[in-house]
Amino acid sequence: MRSLRNFFLYKCLFALTFWNHVSLSVGNELFTSVSNNSPEDGSDRKINNLPLLYAKSHQSKANFDWVVIQNTTESLSLAEITNKNVKKLVALLSNFRQGSRLQNLTLTNVSVDWNALIQVLQTVWHSSIQYLSINSVTQLSRIERCDFDYSGTSMKALIMEKVVITSMFFSQDDLYKIFADMNIAALTITDSKMIHMLCPSSDSPLRYLNFLKNDLTDLLYEKCDKLEQLETLILQKNKFESLPKVSLMTSRMKSLKYLDMSSNLLRHEGADVQCQWAESLTELDLSSNQLVDAVFECLPVNIQNLNLQNNQISSVPRGVAELKALKELNLASNRLADLPGCGGFTALEFLNVEMNSILTPSADFFQSCPRVRELQAGKNPFKCSCELRDFIRGERQSGGRLFGWPAAYMCEYPEDLRGTQLKDFHLSELACNTVLLLVTALMLTLVLVAVVAFLCIYLDVPWYVRMTWQWTQTKRRAWHNHPAEQEAVLQFHAFVSYSERDVLWVKDELIPNLEKGEGCVQLCQHERNFIPGKSIVENIINCIEKSYKSIFVLSPNFVQSEWCHYELYFAHHKLFSENSNSLILILLEPIPPYIIPARYHKLKALMAKRTYLEWPKERSKRALFWANLRAAININLPMADGRRCEEAD
């Protein structure tokens, strides 16, 4: 918000110190005499000099000096005005008739009776003085009604600060009427505990009113239509409570442009209460009050500069009356969770939302508010996320309109980023683009599914899962049906697994040489040892469980047999579950690697890591083959009649 321009304008007029400025003390012992050299005929002839004779009170004897006030004096400051020297002050001021150079007068620490104060004011009113400032005024006696002559004055502005009324019983009209009817452009009464001010008796020329830091209430200027020329009204730090009543007060001020109602107790809850503001009002300061979201239902339609700082506003309601002329909006130190849109503020150029509760500002703010030239959004508890990244990107694309960037913009959440400036916060496009993230995740999922499906097909995983399930079910059924048989008793030296196409070699070579030769080897063969009525899988498992070893006759025919694969799988499962060395591999015919199916990866692993017996084509080598095979079996099992092989021999 811009400063109180008019207020400072008038204040500066009093504060100016010219080369010909004179400060005098007119205390009880200091002010001694005044020589009046003014023309007796009342003509406008210039005063050559004005001698003032004064004595220093701290000396035992009077020590007189001369102080000369030249006729070019424009500003004069006097202090310590009391009832004892006020007549001398009046006599002094009487020298400065209209047409003199003296324009600015400041009186400090004034402690006089009511009549004496009126006499001083009346004297000033008919002098050349235009700007009068009285600081620290103590009114001693009872206030009485008096007549005041406002005619023929040069006065333009009056400032009274820190006025104290000691009398407790007086008519307020007698006090306030003097000031209400003053025919000047600017009136300031501040820090004086003033509770009321009358409406002027006639149309007032006042253009500037400043009642800062008093006790004024909603009753001020109620139904007053005599301030039609008033342009600036400052009521900061008073006790106003109703915003609609304030609006009604201004409705008759046809020229009002600036209104300061900051630091009051203003509320507006809505409740269908109509607000009537002066149509001329363009600047309004409502900061430091108790206003909520409903305040946007009670604002001047032609407002251009609006200050709502330090209230209790949590959002700007949608659908409120449009403020098409609003250019500056201050919402700092409220409870906003997001940036307000510009739907109702089409001309907005400056927005202040500092020190609110904004975590992630809307990314489309700059698109919805194209006329905003400056945004103050620092000192908010920003949550550094993708939404915030999009907001920063939108701000940069719009030309960089953030005020205070980058120092005032820091991450508050998450904790590991607290204190990080937003300019140093970065997230990848993949992390923030939901569509891209979903597409990427979907592609990765499809690739993963494809890889898993390929591996499942290549390694025949479904087959192994099915076999594991069958093995588990078979073991469970066996446990429930024959729990006493679960501690398996070895009945065979070896279970023989082979392809039906290699059955002649098994019957003509393997079985005769092992069972009828040395060692009493007992083999388990599916044709003679599978139990009718049981499933093939259950028979395979039972035979492997009851056999010390499992012999696999490998050939190109073997790898083409599904049942051979089952038998190899279950035997391999026993190998790992019992941590035993129960597999014996016989390579009947060479197996080219390319004909081994992919699902036979266990067979490939076994042939690569384990030693196997290769069936020799030369007859001379076969005796050694059988000897090695018997040695690999190498176990002494009881025979069917309870005897062991050694006993049978």
Side-chain angles (χ1 to χ4, degrees):
M1 289 289 184
R2 294 193 294 270
S3 61
L4 308 180
R5 296 169 298 177
N6 296 332
F7 173 66
F8 287 128
L9 175 62
Y10 288 108
K11 288 290 288 183
C12 288
L13 291 174
F14 289 97
L16 286 174
T17 302
F18 301 92
W19 288 105
N20 51 7
H21 177 83
V22 178
S23 296
L24 299 176
S25 176
V26 292
N28 188 28
E29 299 182 14
L30 299 182
F31 201 105
T32 304
S33 65
V34 177
S35 296
N36 189 350
N37 289 346
S38 59
E40 295 182 358
D41 58 0
S43 65
D44 292 335
R45 184 165 50 88
K46 299 294 183 180
I47 301 175
N48 294 325
N49 60 66
L50 178 62
L52 293 181
L53 183 63
Y54 72 99
K56 297 180 180 179
S57 61
H58 63 275
Q59 295 179 344
S60 58
K61 296 181 180 179
N63 180 15
F64 299 101
D65 293 323
W66 288 91
V67 178
V68 178
I69 302 180
Q70 301 295 336
N71 62 353
T72 58
T73 298
E74 294 183 358
S75 299
L76 179 63
S77 296
L78 301 173
E80 309 302 334
I81 312 299
T82 66
N83 284 326
K84 293 182 179 181
N85 57 36
V86 69
K87 291 183 179 180
K88 297 179 181 180
L89 173 63
V90 172
L92 172 64
L93 297 178
S94 299
N95 289 280
F96 301 101
R97 298 178 181 179
Q98 292 185 358
S100 299
R101 296 294 300 273
L102 184 63
Q103 296 182 0
N104 306 305
L105 175 63
T106 301
L107 304 177
T108 305
N109 294 335
V110 179
S111 181
V112 296
D113 293 335
W114 171 251
N115 291 331
L117 179 61
I118 294 299
Q119 188 178 7
V120 172
L121 290 175
Q122 189 70 81
T123 304
V124 170
W125 225 256
H126 296 289
S127 69
S128 63
I129 297 172
Q130 298 180 15
Y131 304 98
L132 173 61
S133 176
I134 307 177
N135 303 321
S136 299
V137 183
T138 302
Q139 174 59 48
L140 298 177
S141 65
R142 181 178 179 180
I143 298 173
E144 299 177 348
R145 183 179 180 81
C146 62
D147 295 327
F148 195 92
D149 183 8
Y150 298 102
S151 63
T153 185
S154 299
M155 277 287 293
K156 295 181 179 179
L158 169 63
I159 294 179
M160 297 188 70
E161 297 180 349
K162 298 181 180 179
V163 180
V164 177
I165 306 296
T166 59
S167 177
M168 300 298 295
F169 303 99
F170 62 92
S171 172
Q172 293 187 16
D173 289 358
D174 295 340
L175 171 63
Y176 298 132
K177 183 176 176 58
I178 296 295
F179 300 98
D181 290 338
M182 285 183 172
N183 54 339
I184 55 179
L187 174 62
T188 298
I189 303 177
T190 65
D191 199 6
S192 301
K193 297 184 178 180
M194 181 170 62
I195 62 174
H196 192 57
M197 176 55 68
L198 293 176
C199 181
S201 302
S202 59
D203 291 340
S204 174
L206 282 168
R207 291 187 299 161
Y208 176 92
L209 271 178
N210 184 355
F211 295 149
L212 169 70
K213 200 175 181 182
N214 284 287
D215 294 331
L216 298 171
T217 66
D218 298 332
L219 299 177
L220 178 68
Y221 293 143
E222 194 173 26
K223 299 181 180 180
C224 179
D225 58 358
K226 304 300 182 181
L227 295 169
E228 292 191 355
Q229 297 185 45
L230 186 64
E231 297 178 359
T232 300
L233 178 58
I234 299 174
L235 299 173
Q236 181 184 6
K237 294 184 178 179
N238 280 276
K239 295 183 178 180
F240 291 89
E241 296 182 1
S242 173
L243 187 61
K245 289 183 178 180
V246 171
S247 72
L248 187 60
M249 174 191 70
T250 69
S251 62
R252 295 178 174 86
M253 300 175 181
K254 305 300 182 182
S255 302
L256 187 65
K257 296 179 180 179
Y258 179 86
L259 175 62
D260 184 356
M261 298 298 303
S262 60
S263 300
N264 277 276
L265 305 171
L266 289 175
R267 293 174 176 269
H268 179 60
E269 304 297 340
D272 299 328
V273 178
Q274 296 296 323
C275 296
Q276 303 178 33
W277 296 93
E279 293 184 1
S280 58
L281 187 60
T282 58
E283 296 186 41
L284 177 59
D285 190 342
L286 297 175
S287 61
S288 299
N289 281 282
Q290 301 175 16
L291 299 169
V292 294
D293 301 359
V295 67
F296 289 94
E297 302 173 3
C298 182
L299 292 174
V301 294
N302 296 321
I303 195 71
Q304 296 180 12
N305 192 325
L306 177 61
N307 190 343
L308 290 169
Q309 181 176 353
N310 193 26
N311 279 280
Q312 301 172 19
I313 301 170
S314 58
S315 65
V316 178
R318 297 183 180 273
V320 296
E322 293 187 359
L323 303 177
K324 297 181 179 180
L326 185 63
K327 295 182 179 180
E328 299 183 30
L329 176 59
N330 189 341
L331 290 169
S333 300
N334 277 278
R335 302 175 180 177
L336 296 176
D338 197 359
L339 297 176
C342 295
F345 318 131
T346 54
L348 190 64
E349 296 180 1
F350 300 93
L351 176 63
N352 187 345
V353 291
E354 289 184 328
M355 293 181 286
N356 276 273
S357 301
I358 300 175
L359 300 179
T360 53
S362 299
D364 61 348
F365 171 79
F366 292 102
Q367 295 179 353
S368 62
C369 302
R371 300 190 63 178
V372 172
R373 291 187 289 157
E374 181 177 286
L375 171 64
Q376 292 182 238
K379 300 177 183 178
N380 275 285
F382 294 113
K383 180 181 179 182
C384 287
S385 61
C386 294
E387 292 80 2
L388 186 62
R389 190 203 68 153
D390 294 340
F391 169 77
I392 297 173
R393 177 181 295 178
E395 187 272 338
R396 291 174 179 172
Q397 292 175 350
S398 65
R401 293 177 280 177
L402 284 180
F403 179 84
W405 178 270
Y409 298 80
M410 294 187 179
C411 299
E412 183 68 19
Y413 305 103
E415 292 187 4
D416 58 331
L417 292 176
R418 182 171 296 170
T420 303
Q421 290 188 353
L422 299 193
K423 71 179 183 66
D424 299 324
F425 165 67
H426 304 286
L427 282 176
S428 65
E429 184 67 26
L430 180 61
C432 293
N433 191 322
T434 305
V435 176
L436 181 60
L437 182 62
L438 290 176
V439 171
T440 303
L442 180 60
M443 293 298 296
L444 290 176
T445 302
L446 292 176
V447 170
L448 180 61
V449 169
V451 170
V452 171
F454 173 78
L455 291 176
C456 288
I457 296 173
Y458 182 78
L459 300 177
D460 205 8
V461 173
W463 184 90
Y464 286 104
V465 172
R466 187 170 68 253
M467 290 299 99
T468 302
W469 171 254
Q470 292 183 0
W471 180 85
T472 303
Q473 292 297 103
T474 300
K475 296 290 289 184
R476 186 179 62 82
R477 287 195 300 269
W479 172 261
H480 285 288
N481 296 334
H482 305 286
E485 298 178 2
Q486 289 310 300
E487 293 187 5
V489 177
L490 297 178
Q491 299 179 8
F492 305 100
H493 286 86
F495 169 73
V496 182
S497 175
Y498 55 93
S499 170
E500 287 296 327
R501 296 181 180 181
D502 298 324
V503 65
L504 294 178
W505 181 86
V506 172
K507 290 182 177 181
D508 295 342
E509 297 289 346
L510 181 64
I511 294 177
N513 281 283
L514 290 181
E515 288 188 341
K516 298 179 180 180
E518 299 178 357
C520 300
V521 174
Q522 300 181 43
L523 298 178
C524 179
Q525 184 188 13
H526 68 271
E527 292 182 356
R528 64 186 185 185
N529 295 110
F530 275 15
I531 300 174
K534 289 187 177 183
S535 66
I536 297 177
V537 173
E538 190 173 354
N539 273 305
I540 292 174
I541 293 174
N542 288 335
C543 286
I544 292 175
E545 291 288 339
K546 294 178 181 180
S547 301
Y548 175 56
K549 299 283 186 176
S550 293
I551 299 174
F552 291 89
V553 181
L554 305 180
S555 67
N557 298 323
F558 182 91
V559 298
Q560 301 299 323
S561 171
E562 187 74 13
W563 290 112
C564 289
H565 193 193
Y566 288 164
E567 293 167 353
L568 178 63
Y569 172 79
F570 291 130
H572 193 259
H573 187 276
K574 178 182 178 183
L575 172 67
F576 284 96
S577 62
E578 298 181 3
N579 195 22
S580 61
N581 187 18
S582 59
L583 295 183
I584 300 175
L585 303 180
I586 298 176
L587 185 59
L588 183 62
E589 296 178 14
I591 304 176
Y594 63 87
I595 71 169
I596 301 178
R599 64 177 182 269
Y600 277 49
H601 63 93
K602 289 186 178 180
L603 175 60
K604 294 180 180 179
L606 289 173
M607 294 182 67
K609 296 180 180 179
R610 299 179 67 87
T611 303
Y612 54 86
L613 297 175
E614 186 174 357
W615 173 249
K617 298 300 181 181
E618 300 86 352
R619 290 186 176 273
S620 60
K621 298 179 180 179
R622 293 179 181 177
L624 180 60
F625 170 84
W626 297 117
N628 289 333
L629 181 57
R630 291 190 185 93
I633 297 175
N634 190 22
I635 186 174
N636 190 18
L637 293 178
M639 300 179 66
D641 56 1
R643 294 179 302 160
R644 295 187 177 274
C645 288
E646 293 86 344
E647 299 174 1
D649 291 340

